[in-house]
Amino acid sequence: MAILVTGGCGYIGSHTAAVLTEAGREVVIVDSLVNSKALVVNRIEALTGRRPAFYKADVRNEQALAEVFETHPIEGVIHFAGLKAVGESVAQPLAYYSANIEGAAALLRVMQRQGVRRLVFSSSATVYGDTDIIPYTEDLPLQPMNPYGRTKAAVEWMLTDLYHSQPGWSISILRYFNPVGAHPSGLIGEDPAGIPNNLMPYITQVAVGRRPELGVFGGDYPTPDGSCVRDYIHVMDLAEGHLAALGLIEGSHGLFVHNLGSGRGVSVLEMVKAFSEATGQAVPYSIKPRRAGDLPAYWADASKALRDMNWRTHRSLADICRDAYEFQRQNPKGYVETT
Ligand code: NAD
Ligand code: WQD
């Protein structure tokens, strides 16, 4: 039996595909490569000694998806495929509604027809939006503040309605906080196209000399050092969370919602300091104006994941920094097609 990993060439999907393969699972990847490279499949093979089956296809292409289900004995799906840049979602909402909502709907229709009813869905802490209640618990109302977040909330509602409409579905919704870091081998990691939107890839690109300095967005927030506070989670801990979630939906029927975070808040300036200490690389930075839409501080209450699936993070901030740097050091220009 196999697990279909949509978006499995991407950042989180590739690490999860590696963890699943190491755990003895058969992995089948479907990815349109809109934000990733096919050579990631070679890297997963190099890491694990087993090559996942790979199909270049858009999840909105139901015919292509159906062929994958007809070729492999798929018993469950982890759905990563989608678009994820908040700023881009404001500029191009229709592209986000299409990829994220139509993509999920197409996948669910095919699963329905094929009789496969186990799904793990990549949601995001961004669905909580602005609230004074910190840390975030899963029972907070969803009030996303941007189109990207609204597509994630919409898919969560779609999954909830589907679950209640038909017996047999078993669904895990995972709300990730800030995924960072890389596989400790340095073979796979985060490889954003163009100028990184996110903090950690920006830091690693500064560390290898691709960019002169980090701009810290805001130094006057009501936080201990004035910079924003987030809950950073090592991508390997996150990948292991998917294995735990699969175990949960395989062991029982239900609709489960879990935060995946470390439960600890770390500021931008703390991250810069931790990175320099862990890697020995200086990260020049200057304080810039606040970035529109940023919240001052939030982190996860991750106790429900510990209770329900015996999952928690194990890796430290130093592990995160060292592993992120190792990927960037080995791949200074990211994934390059000849490697
Ligand atoms: P990513 O862009 O690296 O990976 C997504 C993958 O999906 C890419 O390989 C891309 O080519 C593929 N893809 C996109 N649209 C597709 C489509 N229509 N059909 C087939 N493939 C398609 O992003 P990631 O960081 O690995 O995120 C994975 C999932 O986790 C996304 O759903 C994202 O919204 C969610 N998420 C990410 C973060 C984060 O900070 N990275 C946080 C919370 C949730
Ligand atoms: C982290 C902190 C920035 C870059 C985003 C999405 C969220 C989720 C995770 C998908 C913030 C600061 C950043 C830089 C900086 N993704 N920063 N200089 O915004 O917390 O969350 O990714 O679901 O939905 O919004 O992550 O990495 O962009 O920023 O100072 O060059 O780093 O202001 O405080 P964010 P991030």
Side-chain angles (χ1 to χ4, degrees), residues 6 27 29-30 65 73 138 176 179 186 202 214 303-304 315 334:
T6 74
V27 171
I29 293 175
V30 168
L65 273 187
E138 288 85 350
Y176 318 151
Y202 208 106
L214 171 74
S303 58
K304 185 164 183 268
R315 293 159 181 89

Side-chain angles (χ1 to χ4, degrees), residues 31-42:
D31 197 304
S32 67
L33 303 180
V34 66
N35 195 36
S36 56
K37 305 234 171 71
L39 70 80
V40 169
V41 180
N42 304 344

Side-chain angles (χ1 to χ4, degrees), residues 86 124 126 148 178 197-199 215 217 228 230 232 291 294:
V86 171
S124 168
T126 202
Y148 166 69
N178 286 54
N197 294 311
N198 298 112
L199 179 65
F217 299 143
C228 287
R230 295 287 181 274
Y232 296 94
R291 182 174 68 177
D294 275 343

Side-chain angles (χ1 to χ4, degrees), residues 10-297:
Y11 173 43
I12 306 167
S14 59
H15 290 78
T16 303
V19 164
L20 290 173
T21 307
E22 292 283 10
R25 299 294 191 120
E26 199 70 35
V27 171
V28 177
I29 293 175
V30 168
D31 197 304
S32 67
L33 303 180
V34 66
N35 195 36
S36 56
K37 305 234 171 71
L39 70 80
V40 169
V41 180
N42 304 344
R43 301 284 180 97
I44 296 169
E45 182 181 14
L47 270 177
T48 64
R50 280 168 58 206
R51 187 174 184 83
F54 168 61
Y55 297 87
K56 180 176 184 297
D58 194 297
V59 289
R60 289 164 290 189
N61 181 343
E62 291 184 40
Q63 179 62 37
L65 273 187
E67 282 169 22
V68 174
F69 278 85
E70 279 151 21
T71 309
H72 299 273
I74 307 289
E75 60 176 335
V77 179
I78 307 184
H79 182 44
F80 293 102
L83 302 178
K84 64 161 181 178
V86 171
E88 190 181 62
S89 80
V90 175
Q92 301 172 36
L94 297 184
Y96 274 68
Y97 278 81
S98 174
N100 295 358
I101 299 181
E102 287 175 23
L107 172 66
L108 293 167
R109 277 194 295 270
V110 174
M111 289 178 68
Q112 184 93 277
R113 286 197 289 270
Q114 301 286 335
V116 177
R117 300 205 168 160
R118 287 189 188 130
L119 179 81
V120 179
F121 172 62
S122 298
S123 190
S124 168
T126 202
V127 296
Y128 295 116
D130 201 355
T131 165
D132 293 334
I133 303 163
I134 296 166
Y136 292 173
T137 49
E138 288 85 350
D139 53 3
L140 287 174
L142 305 192
Q143 37 194 28
M145 304 189 311
N146 53 62
Y148 166 69
R150 283 188 273 277
T151 66
K152 288 290 173 191
V155 175
E156 289 201 14
W157 287 318
M158 178 158 62
L159 292 172
T160 306
D161 289 336
L162 178 65
Y163 173 76
H164 290 297
S165 75
Q166 288 198 353
W169 278 93
S170 200
I171 297 173
S172 159
I173 294 171
L174 299 177
R175 295 180 182 152
Y176 318 151
F177 281 67
N178 286 54
V180 284
H183 192 279
S185 64
L187 277 177
I188 55 174
E190 187 170 14
D191 179 25
I195 300 171
N197 294 311
N198 298 112
L199 179 65
M200 186 51 95
Y202 208 106
I203 290 178
T204 60
Q205 291 193 12
V206 171
V208 297
R210 255 172 87 174
R211 306 197 182 273
E213 67 162 21
L214 171 74
V216 173
F217 299 143
D220 58 354
Y221 282 101
T223 59
D225 64 21
S227 65
C228 287
V229 170
R230 295 287 181 274
D231 184 335
Y232 296 94
I233 169 172
H234 195 299
V235 68
M236 293 299 292
D237 282 327
L238 185 57
E240 289 165 7
H242 291 75
L243 197 57
L246 260 187
L248 184 67
I249 60 170
E250 288 169 353
S252 52
H253 282 289
L255 173 70
F256 306 96
V257 182
H258 290 102
N259 288 337
L260 294 186
S262 71
R264 182 178 48 143
V266 171
S267 76
V268 176
L269 292 174
E270 280 176 312
M271 184 61 98
V272 170
K273 185 162 175 280
F275 186 91
S276 300
E277 284 171 3
T279 65
Q281 299 296 312
V283 179
Y285 68 88
S286 61
I287 306 288
K288 301 283 189 212
R290 293 180 177 194
R291 182 174 68 177
D294 275 343
L295 294 170

Side-chain angles (χ1 to χ4, degrees), residues 299-321:
W299 56 91
D301 179 332
S303 58
K304 185 164 183 268
L306 180 62
R307 269 198 315 277
D308 293 354
M309 21 188 224
N310 198 25
W311 174 92
R312 68 178 177 85
T313 60
H314 291 283
R315 293 159 181 89
S316 67
L317 202 53
D319 294 331
I320 284 172
C321 295

